[in-house]
Amino acid sequence: MVSRVSNTPAPQRVQGTASAPTGPGPAAPSSPEVSRGWTPSSRAATPGPARPVAATANTSAPGLTDAQLATMAAAAIEQSKAAGLYRQPVPNNQDAQNNAVPGLGGKFLDAMPSFVFSPRRQTDLMARQAHALLPEALKRDVAFVQVTRLAQDPEGAAKEMAGKKQVVLVGCLKGINTATSDDPKVSAVHEKELKALEVSLTVAKGMGVEVRDVVFGMGDSSPTRVGGKYVANPFAETKRAQLEARMNGNLQKGGYSKPERLSWGADELMVCAFAAKLPPRPLSVNLQSPESRFFYDSDTTAKHLVEEAAQKSGLTLVTGGKADIRLEAFSLLPGANKSGDQTFPDATELAVQRPADEAFASKIKALSKEDLARTVIIDARLNNGALDQASQPPTTDVLGYGSWGTGGNNFGQGLAMAKLVSDAEARAKASGDPAAVEQVARARRQLVVEAVAHDAFFIGYRTGLSGASVGDGKSNAMSTWLKQSGLPIAPGQSLPEEKLVELYRKATDFTNQQLQARYPGLSGRVKYIPQPYNRRFEAATAYSEGVIPQAGSVSSELVAKYPEFSPGATYRGFSPLTKPGPSVGSNGLFF
């Protein structure tokens, strides 16, 4: 993932990971057939039993008076000011006046919740969708807060935490990219990020809210180039260990004793934090190439990244028998990633990769309907988007799909979303309400269709918008189209909106044609909505038959000029989101 706080352009990819499980809800279904047999890597950790959060709703939820806020926040404000954080803008965020980052679309249509990292699909729209899937009792009692935003605005964050029993603090530390020694500029950012965590602990303590979990990761940290080939960068692992030690030292000083492990990634952190609050669930893993190396995750293997993602989301790795969640993951074979940079394979590399992809896809297609319903498919062959259509689910009734970002982003968010859906399904079945079961089934289908639309067609590399090779086949398809259309994609440049509208309409029409061809029974359509973020090849993606009413951040200025981009608007005969029905079941499942 691209480090959330970084303004330095990186090769095209997107980013984004979380904590130990706790939470209400029915116990995870037991599987007597499951046998434990996954051999963990050195840093891997198996999650322990869920620590229960009080399931009783907090009905008082008192607001804080200005005087109470001033008293509570005084120490935190002083810390924040000393660190240069208080009221200061943070890249890819919105400020106290609801402005977007300069040049990225003016004011936001609405304020981002405290659990949204930045106005992009993976950290905004999907975080909102994931939050909607959580049990209502948990959402009433637990606040999820992004620490940098809390440090910017301690008073505002305190209002969101008011009345909660617990808080989960989530954040990330800037990655070092290909650096092989300390960079003073990067170190200065690390100091602010660690201080933001310190400020967050102070606010929580002042409010009397228990810090239940702390969830942190580290951004893009790439291998180093030696003799024309990328090899593991020992400094990346050294730096991660140093920062992890400092972070845990700060946590201990702040009265939080449970050590947190820095995982590779960042944009997936909040969704993993949500999943970790739910009871553990068994996960079986089938990796196309367990030793695949991931460029932005310090040359880490697929096996190791899956272990980190499972630990962050509260999933127990098992072998044999029937697990609640099955992972089928595509990744580049070593012979198709000879340079180690994880870019689009050349002709020689494709000759190695294609037969393996076809065989792997065939086995997935041959799975029973029951197995497919608990299978999440992840295409981790490239950094941003699907390499081709081989990884697309054979049906929209799989448990989940994802093909975006770094390996840490992809595995983290893919597994976390799968756990959230699986848990919602278990709660719906336990309620005995057929309407609840149907609602979760529709939510699952919505998430799969939106992910295929975005990850395979909107930002897909080979198939992309043209359905064939785009340019040299090494550029992200949407980015290439933007350049061909004369649209600037660099941060700080203004948008020629008329061309943007034309491009989004073209992308929408193309994607719906492709989806109908792939899934003939599909009754709805997808729609793309631009978000005020500096990567023009990303967009919020909505499915017309969806039931999770989360549209994500939108620029108010863009919507004023082009009402079709309003999250609730009808666009060329298509309404992006249906209105959710009444709460399902007596136990308030979600929405």
Side-chain angles (χ1 to χ4, degrees):
M1 87 192 200
V2 187
S3 192
R4 184 183 52 78
V5 294
S6 172
N7 277 328
T8 305
Q12 286 179 13
R13 52 152 316 288
V14 207
Q15 90 199 348
T17 293
S19 162
T22 71
S30 60
S31 294
E33 309 162 55
V34 170
S35 61
R36 301 177 185 276
W38 183 275
T39 304
S41 299
S42 57
R43 276 183 59 94
T46 302
R51 293 170 311 202
V53 174
T56 307
N58 187 333
T59 54
S60 58
L64 297 182
T65 66
D66 289 342
Q68 288 171 322
L69 277 171
T71 301
M72 177 281 306
I77 290 172
E78 289 309 309
Q79 285 182 321
S80 187
K81 285 180 177 178
L85 291 165
Y86 188 67
R87 302 297 189 196
Q88 295 302 305
V90 170
N92 307 326
N93 229 319
Q94 67 186 135
D95 63 19
Q97 286 72 48
N98 209 36
N99 293 310
V101 177
L104 298 183
K107 291 185 179 295
F108 284 71
L109 201 60
D110 58 7
M112 295 190 297
S114 62
F115 56 78
V116 167
F117 266 38
S118 57
R120 61 198 300 192
R121 177 176 179 265
Q122 256 63 27
T123 54
D124 183 1
L125 167 64
M126 292 194 73
R128 298 184 198 223
Q129 291 176 323
H131 192 263
L133 291 168
L134 290 171
E136 289 300 325
L138 190 151
K139 288 187 282 187
R140 282 193 298 268
D141 288 347
V142 182
F144 295 85
V145 178
Q146 199 258 68
V147 298
T148 304
R149 291 181 59 204
L150 186 154
Q152 285 177 281
D153 181 20
E155 304 99 323
K159 289 178 181 177
E160 291 201 45
M161 291 163 60
K164 304 289 187 181
K165 296 179 178 180
Q166 299 176 348
V167 62
V168 177
L169 301 176
V170 185
C172 69
L173 297 172
K174 180 176 173 59
I176 63 169
N177 290 310
T178 56
T180 55
S181 62
D182 277 318
D183 179 337
K185 291 182 179 179
V186 175
S187 295
V189 174
H190 288 154
E191 293 304 316
K192 288 191 174 184
E193 291 166 335
L194 290 168
K195 180 59 70 172
L197 175 58
E198 203 174 309
V199 173
S200 301
L201 292 166
T202 300
V203 173
K205 186 175 182 180
M207 293 184 69
V209 178
E210 178 192 1
V211 178
R212 187 60 180 185
D213 286 301
V214 174
V215 178
F216 262 68
M218 184 171 171
D220 293 356
S221 299
S222 312
T224 186
R225 197 173 182 88
V226 177
K229 184 177 180 180
Y230 285 97
V231 297
N233 180 0
F235 180 68
E237 192 61 56
T238 297
K239 192 64 181 176
R240 177 165 73 156
Q242 291 173 350
L243 290 170
E244 187 177 283
R246 285 199 57 196
M247 174 186 68
N248 283 312
N250 289 353
L251 288 174
Q252 203 164 28
K253 288 178 187 176
Y256 181 85
S257 59
K258 183 171 73 69
E260 166 63 354
R261 310 188 82 177
L262 279 178
S263 57
W264 294 120
D267 282 356
E268 75 284 1
L269 285 169
M270 192 63 74
V271 179
C272 289
F274 295 158
K277 298 299 289 181
L278 302 172
R281 288 187 177 277
L283 165 71
S284 66
V285 176
N286 184 22
L287 299 175
Q288 183 182 21
S289 177
E291 298 308 311
S292 290
R293 299 277 171 173
F294 289 82
F295 185 76
Y296 289 97
D297 306 286
S298 190
D299 207 40
T300 305
T301 64
K303 182 177 185 291
H304 190 120
L305 289 175
V306 167
E307 290 170 341
E308 284 193 343
Q311 187 273 328
K312 287 286 189 183
S313 298
L315 292 164
T316 304
L317 289 162
V318 298
T319 56
K322 285 192 174 182
D324 294 345
I325 301 170
R326 302 177 70 259
L327 170 63
E328 298 282 345
F330 289 78
S331 56
L332 290 181
L333 276 62
N337 188 29
K338 290 177 291 187
S339 64
D341 60 0
Q342 209 183 347
T343 54
F344 196 95
D346 61 24
T348 303
E349 292 171 323
L350 282 175
V352 174
Q353 187 70 28
R354 291 292 191 217
D357 290 345
E358 291 170 6
F360 199 75
S362 294
K363 290 181 179 178
I364 294 174
K365 191 173 182 179
L367 291 172
S368 68
K369 184 177 180 180
E370 178 190 16
D371 281 341
L372 282 170
R374 56 192 178 90
T375 296
V376 55
I377 300 170
I378 290 178
D379 183 349
R381 291 174 291 179
L382 298 180
N383 291 309
N384 281 348
L387 186 151
D388 55 28
Q389 295 189 56
S391 66
Q392 287 178 41
T395 170
T396 59
D397 289 325
V398 294
L399 185 61
Y401 175 79
S403 177
W404 158 91
T406 65
N409 302 155
N410 212 345
F411 291 124
Q413 193 161 58
L415 291 177
M417 291 297 287
K419 184 184 177 186
L420 287 162
V421 174
S422 180
D423 188 83
E425 287 179 331
R427 284 183 279 122
K429 290 174 182 176
S431 74
D433 185 349
V437 174
E438 174 58 24
Q439 189 186 37
V440 177
R442 290 183 63 190
R444 175 175 67 174
R445 190 174 305 116
Q446 171 187 352
L447 294 171
V448 170
V449 171
E450 290 174 356
V452 171
H454 181 270
D455 297 357
F457 294 118
F458 196 77
I459 64 169
Y461 281 67
R462 285 291 273 200
T463 49
L465 293 178
S466 70
S469 175
V470 178
D472 59 5
K474 295 180 181 178
S475 301
N476 172 279
M478 189 63 182
S479 179
T480 300
W481 271 55
L482 286 165
K483 290 174 183 175
Q484 291 173 353
S485 302
L487 289 171
I489 58 173
Q493 292 181 320
S494 59
L495 277 175
E497 288 94 345
E498 69 285 350
K499 290 187 177 181
L500 181 82
V501 171
E502 177 187 350
L503 187 64
Y504 270 65
R505 285 177 174 170
K506 194 171 186 177
T508 295
D509 289 342
F510 172 81
T511 297
N512 283 296
Q513 291 169 8
Q514 294 294 315
L515 288 172
Q516 288 297 329
R518 184 77 175 184
Y519 310 114
L522 211 58
S523 57
R525 285 173 57 83
V526 295
K527 170 185 176 178
Y528 297 121
I529 305 172
Q531 292 191 281
Y533 187 74
N534 64 12
R535 283 194 155 165
R536 301 305 179 202
F537 64 85
E538 297 182 41
T541 307
Y543 179 51
S544 62
E545 296 299 315
V547 294
I548 310 179
Q550 306 293 336
S553 301
V554 182
S555 161
S556 58
E557 293 179 7
L558 189 64
V559 168
K561 292 180 182 179
Y562 299 93
E564 61 263 48
F565 289 128
S566 170
T570 297
Y571 173 59
R572 303 180 72 186
F574 157 58
S575 178
L577 292 171
T578 58
K579 293 180 180 178
S583 266
V584 232
S586 58
N587 55 356
L589 286 172
F590 55 90
F591 307 159

